[in-house]
Amino acid sequence: MFQRSVFGAVMVAACAFTLSPALACKDHADASAGAHQQMAQATTGQHAPATTDKKTAPQDVVKIGTLEITGPWSRATPGGAKVGAGYMHITNTGTSPDWLTGGTSSASDRLEIHEMAMKDGVMTMRPLPNGIEIAPGQTVKLEPGGYHIMFMGLKTQLKEGESVKGTLVFKNAGTADVSYQVRSIAAGAHGKGHGSPKGH
């Protein structure tokens, strides 16, 4: 029972909702399967080398091509968490659409783009392998409860006040370097993502 409660806390920290593995995407189910081993490592002090950087100042706006990436941030995670989440706003100031297709994170094995949405009264989460469209003149909001970045296979605990280096890859604009400010574990708990673009 205690281990199940810890895993539930991990998922709340990552996505602001507690989802059972049946409702979550496959990677979250995989994270559940590895939770016992992760918690064992946490209790014996076997931690991965830290990849966050306290000296890196959070970035307010990153510009690449006609895109503006505003306020990248992440939520702190409990010890032993295998997933984390990243959020930001992306504005397209140009006249042609672009797509957020992927990226990297120094704190995790890989990065994925996900969407949470209400379907038939049930909150579901799914990966967007083809990314998110950013239409001309539009701001896409990656926020808790909507579109978000998932840090899969965390190498270290995300701690409030630190920052996580990473990249975002866009179909047309290319690769942008970003730094996610790590906020409290409850940051943005009531936020809802209302970006209107569709995964492409």
Side-chain angles (χ1 to χ4, degrees):
M1 181 65 71
F2 171 74
Q3 291 176 336
R4 292 179 181 175
S5 298
V6 170
F7 176 67
V10 170
M11 299 313 300
V12 169
C15 301
F17 291 91
T18 301
L19 295 178
S20 69
L23 294 178
C25 66
K26 180 180 181 298
D27 286 310
H28 292 86
D30 293 342
S32 176
H36 292 181
Q37 179 182 357
Q38 191 74 12
M39 285 186 290
Q41 292 177 344
T43 56
T44 56
Q46 299 175 5
H47 299 291
T51 55
T52 52
D53 184 358
K54 294 181 179 180
K55 297 181 180 180
T56 302
Q59 299 168 316
D60 290 330
V61 179
V62 176
K63 296 183 179 181
I64 179 169
T66 61
L67 303 179
E68 296 182 353
I69 305 161
T70 304
W73 67 279
S74 182
R75 188 184 281 127
T77 60
K82 296 195 68 175
V83 294
Y87 312 101
M88 70 204 73
H89 291 178
I90 305 174
T91 300
N92 187 345
T93 63
T95 58
S96 300
D98 207 335
W99 288 265
L100 173 63
T101 59
T104 62
S105 162
S106 64
S108 64
D109 292 333
R110 66 186 190 280
L111 179 150
E112 296 181 0
I113 304 168
H114 285 209
E115 178 186 24
M116 294 186 73
M118 189 70 69
K119 182 177 181 180
D120 299 327
V122 178
M123 183 64 73
T124 61
M125 179 158 33
R126 66 187 182 104
L128 300 175
N130 295 319
I132 301 172
E133 181 181 0
I134 306 102
Q138 185 177 52
T139 295
V140 176
K141 298 181 179 181
L142 281 72
E143 297 178 337
Y147 295 118
H148 57 281
I149 298 294
M150 286 299 296
F151 304 136
M152 309 301 297
L154 283 181
K155 301 174 184 178
T156 185
Q157 181 180 2
L158 304 184
K159 298 180 180 180
E160 182 178 358
E162 297 183 347
S163 60
V164 176
K165 295 180 180 179
T167 65
L168 295 173
V169 178
F170 298 92
K171 182 177 179 180
N172 297 324
T175 301
D177 293 323
V178 296
S179 181
Y180 298 86
Q181 179 187 10
V182 182
R183 302 180 184 174
S184 73
I185 199 167
H190 301 292
K192 298 292 183 181
H194 297 288
S196 60
K198 299 179 180 180
H200 183 74

